[in-house]
Amino acid sequence: MARYTGPIARINRRFGAAIMGPSKASEKREFPPGQHGPKAGRRKSSEYATGLNEKQKLRYTYGLLEKQFRRTFDKAKRERGITGERFLQLLETRLDSVVYLVGFTKTRRSARQFVNHGHVMVNGH
């Protein structure tokens, strides 16, 4: 499975929250990363930017790349019920998410590695 392997503190600082687990970087600098980080707070973001940021937060929280995220959303759209609720249900019932929620691991990233290395079996597989 592919996954994001870049700097975690950068993602946390971009959104101003501990999306991918706690890090000391957000305590040191309260502004977004990059060349224009300290100046970024001046402008009001558009409605599109707000929606995109929420989507990206969800993607990084569950550790999915765009294609996996899109497939899960399309599956939720095809099923009955409210699409948003169904989408979150599908994300929460992924095996790595269940392993994290049960408490076998401390982070979602470690839960994903736990599953990929075959430490969890479901119905003998």
Side-chain angles (χ1 to χ4, degrees), residues 2-121:
R3 65 192 175 280
Y4 176 77
T5 57
I8 295 170
R10 183 182 182 95
I11 301 299
N12 290 343
R13 284 181 54 212
R14 181 192 304 171
F15 297 117
I19 302 293
M20 300 183 78
S23 69
K24 299 248 180 196
S26 56
E27 294 171 13
K28 292 178 185 173
R29 302 181 184 131
E30 292 295 327
F31 49 87
Q35 181 179 359
H36 305 290
K39 298 181 262 182
R42 295 181 190 162
R43 289 189 0 207
K44 185 175 182 261
S45 61
S46 66
E47 200 172 311
Y48 175 78
T50 306
L52 180 63
N53 282 337
E54 290 302 317
K55 183 199 77 131
Q56 295 292 69
K57 278 185 197 177
L58 206 56
R59 249 191 64 210
Y60 284 119
T61 299
Y62 288 99
L64 300 177
L65 295 182
E66 188 62 38
K67 192 166 189 176
Q68 295 166 309
F69 196 75
R70 177 61 64 119
R71 269 197 194 138
T72 308
F73 183 77
D74 289 341
K75 188 175 181 182
K77 211 160 61 169
R78 283 193 303 270
E79 293 179 4
R80 293 188 143 220
I82 300 168
T83 305
E85 286 180 16
R86 189 65 192 124
F87 181 51
L88 287 175
Q89 286 174 352
L90 289 172
L91 289 174
E92 289 291 327
T93 55
R94 288 171 49 93
L95 185 57
D96 56 349
S97 194
V98 170
V99 166
Y100 169 71
L101 292 172
V102 168
F104 290 147
T105 60
K106 291 184 178 181
T107 63
R108 288 187 188 272
R109 296 180 91 190
S110 61
R112 186 151 182 176
Q113 186 176 28
F114 204 69
V115 170
N116 282 339
H117 287 196
H119 298 302
V120 178
M121 295 183 78

